[in-house]
Amino acid sequence: MDDKKDKGLEKGLTSYGDRGFSLFLRKAFIKGAGYTDDALARPVVGIANTGSSYNPCHGNMPQLIEAVKRGVMLAGGLPMDFPTISIHESFAHPTSMYLRNLMSIDTEEMIRAQPMDAVVLIGGCDKTVPAQLMGAASANVPCVQLVTGSMLTGSHDFERVGACTDCRRYWGRYRAEEIDADEIARVNDQLVASVGTCSVMGTASTMACIAEALGIALPGSASAPAVTADRIRIAERSGATAVAIAKSRLTPDRILTAHAFENALRVLLAIGGSTNGVIHTTAIAGRLGIALDLARLDAMGRETPVLLDLKPSGKHYMEDLHRAGGLPTLLRELKPLLHLDALTVTGRTLGEEIDATRPFAQDVVRTFSNPIYPQGGIAVLRGNLAPGGALIKQSAADAKLMKHEGRAVVFENAEDMAKRIDADDLDVKADDILVLKSIGPKGAPGMPEAGYLPIPKKLARAGVKDMVRISDGRMSGTAAGTIVLHVTPEAAVGGPLAWVQTGDRIRLDVPAREISLLVSDAEMERRRKEHPVREPRAHRGYLKLFLDTVTQADKGVDFDFLRK
Ligand code: FES
């Protein structure tokens, strides 16, 4: 390909049938914004702007864009920010996951359509970083991921609180009538003390760490809180790095290799990361034709302890990890298990970046000899209830329930659960197993984070804090409990979960990695014939695209036609 035509403003010209005219017109329009020929001759760095009034997790976007632009210009490039879809967890109906793939398409196509030699992707809230990395992996233009950074913690009656582990804890206490309406209103003011992403190891923090472990975000960039000077400096350095990789043409496919994904999974396991991290990492890898194997993840989990003492598995918050040296402190400890030859956006390997860091005394990242949890945070379960696999965040579960057999109490869908879960006449006991169907990729649709079934009110009032809960949906990484998620295949496409009935016996055995429905094959066959499943369909729009093409959890819930 002609080198010049593939660079700067000459890249991807609009089709008028006359190259010269296309470039002439493009320059004429951009000069309307006051640019000089000197500026327009520089390497162009796109900056994906996901600022939105609906997205407080991205509330520092203006400052980050300004800093990225400064970094780009100091390095001799021309920064061009452009908008894409932004998604916030609490402002997306029916669920943010329904829109992740749409945002990935938007990101990919805007990177392709507009002239840019490199791009800085600014994301943060749970689905935005996965969507951006999926899009960038497909577009394969040199890219740096910049996260917005975590929010600060607040204080409620001198107790440190942060979203959203403490949101769930206080709401659980309110449901159990341990605290009153006045107190729950007061704590509501303190849970999110600043702009930025959730302050515990939820999906946003998990994906920030994964982006750094993948080498597609700057070393040390995952942990700086949103409102700190460090976060702004990271943004400036991300801009400068983008100019460097625009010149060296360091494309994502050279960074996002099979080794890099293994490093990311190691980190996911060692940080007690969100189960959502498995789905998103699978989807990003799928864009590059790299298959992530759940059996391999589980095998890695058996030799990778949780070392990070962060909520919900431990006690600290993201700002504490930053004070403890950030992710490099953990990477240094994990070094014997990492592929050190993996390349990063700096042009240096992960091993070289780890060696450049300086250890000091801290108590947020533990050593191998003194872990938070002896195995990886996530275990992969199999059995006749989940032939395609299911996950449990064992590091945030109740040790007493890790081997448990109980009677199923079944809810057919989210509406059914909402209607009955708090009824005084609900037939449920503390050692029962709550089962929720039809919240998978197609069932809800969009696989909402409804897998964290609330403890039925009458049991909560009696002091029950945890029960085994099973669904084909997801759970926020900020939540804790003995909760089996991502049961695959989902009920809505005819997975065995569809035919579980109240009264059936279910066995969970996490050490043996088993999730079994204790019902005979003949009985299951009878139920299948008697109640055939009708897959959800739609006639138009994005919902039709979604239902026609979305894959199951083991393929990352990506659209089938977007995978490589
Ligand atoms: Fe945005 Fe938690 S709601 S990161």
Side-chain angles (χ1 to χ4, degrees):
M1 190 181 289
D2 182 325
D3 208 32
K4 189 155 180 270
K5 286 178 194 164
D6 195 31
K7 274 189 187 167
L9 230 58
E10 294 198 39
K11 207 174 164 190
L13 286 171
T14 310
S15 304
Y16 293 119
D18 176 344
R19 271 193 66 80
F21 180 66
S22 295
L23 182 59
F24 173 75
L25 211 58
R26 175 174 283 179
K27 279 190 159 181
F29 277 113
I30 199 73
K31 282 181 176 175
Y35 289 92
T36 61
D37 281 318
D38 178 30
L40 298 176
R42 307 291 174 124
V44 180
V45 174
I47 305 168
N49 175 356
T50 52
S52 160
S53 296
Y54 289 104
N55 197 343
C57 299
H58 295 197
N60 57 346
M61 192 64 58
Q63 294 90 330
L64 292 181
I65 289 174
E66 186 193 327
V68 174
K69 285 185 169 178
R70 184 166 68 239
V72 170
M73 288 192 281
L74 285 170
L78 174 65
M80 303 282 282
D81 63 305
F82 61 96
T84 72
I85 294 171
S86 187
I87 310 169
H88 183 275
E89 285 304 292
S90 295
F91 286 91
H93 176 80
T95 170
S96 59
M97 188 66 172
Y98 178 62
L99 299 169
R100 183 202 64 178
N101 297 349
L102 183 63
M103 182 173 173
S104 83
I105 293 174
D106 181 5
T107 305
E108 174 183 344
E109 296 306 328
M110 287 300 100
I111 293 173
R112 278 192 208 286
Q114 301 170 130
M116 60 189 80
D117 300 298
V119 61
V120 178
L121 302 168
I122 313 182
C125 197
D126 294 13
K127 305 305 176 296
T128 58
V129 170
Q132 291 182 324
L133 289 179
M134 289 159 73
S138 295
N140 207 30
V141 167
C143 144
V144 182
Q145 179 76 57
L146 170 64
V147 298
T148 55
S150 62
M151 59 183 70
L152 299 180
T153 51
S155 179
H156 172 66
D157 294 348
F158 208 58
E159 185 184 337
R160 199 177 179 205
V161 291
C164 241
T165 305
D166 297 320
C167 312
R168 295 173 201 287
R169 187 164 59 83
Y170 273 93
W171 191 251
R173 292 184 62 196
Y174 178 58
R175 279 177 58 81
E177 297 172 8
E178 291 172 15
I179 60 174
D180 61 15
D182 175 60
E183 180 162 4
I184 197 73
R186 282 193 297 117
V187 80
N188 192 254
D189 278 347
Q190 294 303 318
L191 289 162
V192 178
S194 75
V195 296
T197 54
C198 287
S199 52
V200 299
M201 193 44 74
T203 305
S205 302
T206 300
M207 292 311 299
C209 292
I210 282 179
E212 186 176 329
L214 283 169
I216 201 82
L218 283 178
S221 67
S223 57
V227 296
T228 57
D230 275 351
R231 176 55 57 201
I232 301 296
R233 273 189 286 273
I234 290 163
E236 185 185 301
R237 283 174 42 226
S238 296
T241 303
V243 177
I245 61 173
K247 290 177 181 163
S248 65
R249 302 215 174 187
L250 179 52
T251 44
D253 59 346
R254 292 173 55 202
I255 295 172
L256 303 175
T257 60
H259 274 185
F261 282 107
E262 280 221 356
N263 287 340
L265 294 180
R266 283 277 180 216
V267 165
L268 171 67
L269 292 161
I271 61 179
S274 166
T275 43
N276 287 309
V278 179
I279 289 187
H280 298 319
T281 309
T282 302
I284 299 163
R287 295 298 184 97
L288 294 151
I290 298 171
L292 298 191
D293 180 6
L294 285 180
R296 173 78 185 126
L297 172 71
D298 195 64
M300 288 166 74
R302 290 182 186 271
E303 59 186 26
T304 313
V306 177
L307 298 177
L308 187 57
D309 188 1
L310 229 72
K311 289 191 173 194
S313 301
K315 65 173 185 288
H316 290 289
Y317 294 86
M318 276 303 272
E319 60 196 65
D320 305 318
L321 172 62
H322 190 59
R323 277 194 280 269
L327 195 67
T329 303
L330 180 108
L331 294 177
R332 224 173 19 242
E333 195 61 34
L334 268 189
K335 198 174 162 189
L337 296 178
L338 296 173
H339 296 290
L340 300 173
D341 58 342
L343 197 57
T344 77
V345 275
T346 62
R348 294 182 290 273
T349 64
L350 188 69
E352 288 170 328
E353 292 296 348
I354 294 172
D355 289 343
T357 63
R358 191 178 50 82
F360 54 87
Q362 50 79 37
D363 69 349
V364 181
V365 177
R366 300 276 192 90
T367 59
F368 260 77
S369 55
N370 180 31
I372 283 287
Y373 192 80
Q375 295 192 347
I378 296 169
V380 180
L381 307 172
R382 301 255 182 202
N384 65 350
L385 190 53
L391 301 183
I392 184 167
K393 192 171 185 177
Q394 55 178 348
S395 59
D398 184 341
K400 293 191 289 297
L401 291 172
M402 299 299 263
K403 283 173 91 150
H404 181 77
E405 188 185 313
R407 181 188 73 128
V409 175
V410 176
F411 302 96
E412 292 299 323
N413 51 46
E415 294 74 47
D416 180 35
M417 185 191 73
K419 229 185 283 166
R420 295 195 292 125
I421 190 102
D422 287 339
D424 282 334
D425 62 354
L426 180 69
D427 177 16
V428 65
K429 289 185 261 342
D431 60 353
D432 286 339
I433 293 178
L434 304 180
V435 176
L436 176 56
K437 304 177 185 177
S438 288
I439 57 163
K442 292 194 184 190
M447 209 180 178
E449 289 186 340
Y452 179 73
L453 282 78
I455 302 293
K457 223 172 194 169
K458 68 182 199 185
L459 296 181
R461 274 195 225 109
V464 176
K465 298 282 185 228
D466 196 6
M467 295 173 74
V468 176
R469 289 159 271 181
I470 299 174
S471 76
D472 46 11
R474 297 177 302 116
M475 169 178 92
S476 165
T478 64
T482 312
I483 299 175
V484 177
L485 303 154
H486 308 185
V487 168
T488 304
E490 63 177 308
V493 300
L497 190 69
W499 291 285
V500 180
Q501 296 177 354
T502 293
D504 289 347
R505 305 288 298 174
I506 291 177
R507 184 168 61 229
L508 170 69
D509 187 340
V510 180
R513 302 297 194 257
E514 180 196 352
I515 182 79
S516 295
L517 178 65
L518 307 180
V519 172
S520 71
D521 291 349
E523 171 61 13
M524 285 299 277
E525 197 47 41
R526 188 191 66 75
R527 293 179 189 179
R528 237 180 228 121
K529 281 197 182 125
E530 227 163 72
H531 305 285
V533 161
R534 285 181 52 205
E535 282 195 32
R537 291 268 173 247
H539 297 297
R540 66 168 297 281
Y542 180 67
L543 181 60
K544 176 172 169 51
L545 180 72
F546 190 97
L547 291 176
D548 286 352
T549 65
V550 76
T551 57
Q552 293 289 289
D554 58 346
K555 299 275 187 299
V557 196
D558 200 1
F559 294 156
D560 55 10
F561 64 92
L562 293 174
R563 289 162 55 81
K564 190 169 181 182

